[in-house]
Amino acid sequence: MREAEISRPALGRIPMYLRFLKGLPPSIRNISSTVIAKELGLGEVQVRKDLGALCGSGKPKVGYQRSELIESLQAFMTGEKVNAVIIGAGRLGKALLDYTGFEDFGISVLSAFDEKISEGNLSEGGKPILPMTEFSEFCSNNNVGIGIIAVPSESAQSVCNIFYDNGIRLMWCFAPCQLYKPADAVIQYENLALSLAHLKMQIK
């Protein structure tokens, strides 16, 4: 499709577009980017650019057919479902494990693993938290495509290596560090402290 053209902020706006479109009365069959922008408090150019990259251009004087626009946005978000697992079952790991918003983007977080536990148990949301001795077999049986690193910095590289050795090439790292990775691996870093510091800088 047009994945290469979609910015991270635009991707984050898709759920907002969907909630708005699904909440409209059934009698509204067509809608323009101008109306969407006005109702959501966004710039018209921004909305037109987002929808153009995601779904193509609307028809002049008609806009988009609402049902087709919803279908296109949902297909873009979910696509083929991908399974993910977490290594690190502390507070952050457990919170990520039970967060339901990943499903909106076609990502199913199946389980968390931790070297500090010897027997499996369940999170508050009912998902398994398992010892590392079960990791390789679990990943092999569940076609895991994404690994989430939720351990301290000093353990992050070894976790990255474990993911890679088990065929997982896509990783999301919450440890504030830079990891060595082979050329065919992709790591998305999420520095929570840096994000909060950036927010602090917005104080006038």
PDB file of all heavy atoms in Angstrom, residues 116 149-157 175-177:
ATOM      1  N   LYS A 116      13.474 -14.168  36.606  1.00  0.00           N
ATOM      2  CA  LYS A 116      13.368 -14.217  38.058  1.00  0.00           C
ATOM      3  C   LYS A 116      12.264 -15.147  38.557  1.00  0.00           C
ATOM      4  O   LYS A 116      12.124 -15.356  39.753  1.00  0.00           O
ATOM      5  CB  LYS A 116      13.132 -12.810  38.617  1.00  0.00           C
ATOM      6  CG  LYS A 116      14.300 -11.856  38.388  1.00  0.00           C
ATOM      7  CD  LYS A 116      14.005 -10.480  38.945  1.00  0.00           C
ATOM      8  CE  LYS A 116      15.168  -9.532  38.704  1.00  0.00           C
ATOM      9  NZ  LYS A 116      14.883  -8.170  39.213  1.00  0.00           N
ATOM     10  N   ILE A 149      11.421  -5.259  24.758  1.00  0.00           N
ATOM     11  CA  ILE A 149      12.461  -5.288  25.795  1.00  0.00           C
ATOM     12  C   ILE A 149      12.055  -4.375  26.935  1.00  0.00           C
ATOM     13  O   ILE A 149      12.016  -3.159  26.791  1.00  0.00           O
ATOM     14  CB  ILE A 149      13.810  -4.836  25.201  1.00  0.00           C
ATOM     15  CG1 ILE A 149      14.205  -5.750  24.035  1.00  0.00           C
ATOM     16  CG2 ILE A 149      14.896  -4.825  26.273  1.00  0.00           C
ATOM     17  CD1 ILE A 149      15.432  -5.269  23.261  1.00  0.00           C
ATOM     18  N   ALA A 150      11.729  -4.964  28.087  1.00  0.00           N
ATOM     19  CA  ALA A 150      11.276  -4.195  29.248  1.00  0.00           C
ATOM     20  C   ALA A 150      12.117  -4.544  30.462  1.00  0.00           C
ATOM     21  O   ALA A 150      11.594  -4.851  31.540  1.00  0.00           O
ATOM     22  CB  ALA A 150       9.793  -4.458  29.515  1.00  0.00           C
ATOM     23  N   VAL A 151      13.426  -4.508  30.278  1.00  0.00           N
ATOM     24  CA  VAL A 151      14.371  -4.826  31.353  1.00  0.00           C
ATOM     25  C   VAL A 151      15.292  -3.631  31.560  1.00  0.00           C
ATOM     26  O   VAL A 151      15.353  -2.724  30.725  1.00  0.00           O
ATOM     27  CB  VAL A 151      15.204  -6.084  30.997  1.00  0.00           C
ATOM     28  CG1 VAL A 151      14.309  -7.299  30.856  1.00  0.00           C
ATOM     29  CG2 VAL A 151      16.007  -5.846  29.718  1.00  0.00           C
ATOM     30  N   PRO A 152      16.058  -3.590  32.664  1.00  0.00           N
ATOM     31  CA  PRO A 152      17.024  -2.506  32.876  1.00  0.00           C
ATOM     32  C   PRO A 152      18.087  -2.484  31.786  1.00  0.00           C
ATOM     33  O   PRO A 152      18.323  -3.482  31.093  1.00  0.00           O
ATOM     34  CB  PRO A 152      17.632  -2.840  34.244  1.00  0.00           C
ATOM     35  CG  PRO A 152      16.596  -3.675  34.925  1.00  0.00           C
ATOM     36  CD  PRO A 152      15.954  -4.480  33.844  1.00  0.00           C
ATOM     37  N   SER A 153      18.753  -1.344  31.648  1.00  0.00           N
ATOM     38  CA  SER A 153      19.745  -1.150  30.586  1.00  0.00           C
ATOM     39  C   SER A 153      20.822  -2.232  30.570  1.00  0.00           C
ATOM     40  O   SER A 153      21.238  -2.693  29.500  1.00  0.00           O
ATOM     41  CB  SER A 153      20.417   0.214  30.741  1.00  0.00           C
ATOM     42  OG  SER A 153      19.483   1.256  30.640  1.00  0.00           O
ATOM     43  N   GLU A 154      21.273  -2.640  31.759  1.00  0.00           N
ATOM     44  CA  GLU A 154      22.376  -3.592  31.814  1.00  0.00           C
ATOM     45  C   GLU A 154      21.995  -4.978  31.285  1.00  0.00           C
ATOM     46  O   GLU A 154      22.868  -5.787  30.955  1.00  0.00           O
ATOM     47  CB  GLU A 154      22.913  -3.718  33.244  1.00  0.00           C
ATOM     48  CG  GLU A 154      21.895  -4.164  34.281  1.00  0.00           C
ATOM     49  CD  GLU A 154      21.167  -2.997  34.949  1.00  0.00           C
ATOM     50  OE1 GLU A 154      21.156  -1.897  34.360  1.00  0.00           O
ATOM     51  OE2 GLU A 154      20.626  -3.213  36.047  1.00  0.00           O
ATOM     52  N   SER A 155      20.712  -5.251  31.193  1.00  0.00           N
ATOM     53  CA  SER A 155      20.262  -6.553  30.694  1.00  0.00           C
ATOM     54  C   SER A 155      19.715  -6.484  29.270  1.00  0.00           C
ATOM     55  O   SER A 155      19.414  -7.511  28.666  1.00  0.00           O
ATOM     56  CB  SER A 155      19.172  -7.114  31.618  1.00  0.00           C
ATOM     57  OG  SER A 155      19.623  -7.222  32.950  1.00  0.00           O
ATOM     58  N   ALA A 156      19.600  -5.286  28.739  1.00  0.00           N
ATOM     59  CA  ALA A 156      18.918  -5.110  27.461  1.00  0.00           C
ATOM     60  C   ALA A 156      19.635  -5.791  26.295  1.00  0.00           C
ATOM     61  O   ALA A 156      18.998  -6.380  25.426  1.00  0.00           O
ATOM     62  CB  ALA A 156      18.739  -3.619  27.170  1.00  0.00           C
ATOM     63  N   GLN A 157      20.961  -5.714  26.256  1.00  0.00           N
ATOM     64  CA  GLN A 157      21.683  -6.321  25.131  1.00  0.00           C
ATOM     65  C   GLN A 157      21.517  -7.833  25.110  1.00  0.00           C
ATOM     66  O   GLN A 157      21.329  -8.434  24.046  1.00  0.00           O
ATOM     67  CB  GLN A 157      23.164  -5.958  25.188  1.00  0.00           C
ATOM     68  CG  GLN A 157      23.962  -6.459  23.978  1.00  0.00           C
ATOM     69  CD  GLN A 157      23.504  -5.823  22.677  1.00  0.00           C
ATOM     70  OE1 GLN A 157      23.567  -4.608  22.515  1.00  0.00           O
ATOM     71  NE2 GLN A 157      23.023  -6.639  21.742  1.00  0.00           N
ATOM     72  N   ALA A 175      14.468   0.189  27.359  1.00  0.00           N
ATOM     73  CA  ALA A 175      15.655   0.483  28.174  1.00  0.00           C
ATOM     74  C   ALA A 175      16.372   1.693  27.589  1.00  0.00           C
ATOM     75  O   ALA A 175      16.557   1.784  26.377  1.00  0.00           O
ATOM     76  CB  ALA A 175      16.588  -0.727  28.191  1.00  0.00           C
ATOM     77  N   PRO A 176      16.804   2.646  28.448  1.00  0.00           N
ATOM     78  CA  PRO A 176      17.493   3.850  27.960  1.00  0.00           C
ATOM     79  C   PRO A 176      18.947   3.556  27.600  1.00  0.00           C
ATOM     80  O   PRO A 176      19.870   3.902  28.335  1.00  0.00           O
ATOM     81  CB  PRO A 176      17.380   4.809  29.149  1.00  0.00           C
ATOM     82  CG  PRO A 176      17.325   3.912  30.344  1.00  0.00           C
ATOM     83  CD  PRO A 176      16.582   2.680  29.910  1.00  0.00           C
ATOM     84  N   CYS A 177      19.139   2.910  26.451  1.00  0.00           N
ATOM     85  CA  CYS A 177      20.488   2.554  26.028  1.00  0.00           C
ATOM     86  C   CYS A 177      20.500   2.340  24.515  1.00  0.00           C
ATOM     87  O   CYS A 177      19.446   2.320  23.886  1.00  0.00           O
ATOM     88  CB  CYS A 177      20.957   1.282  26.744  1.00  0.00           C
ATOM     89  SG  CYS A 177      19.916  -0.152  26.381  1.00  0.00           S
TER      90      CYS A 177
END
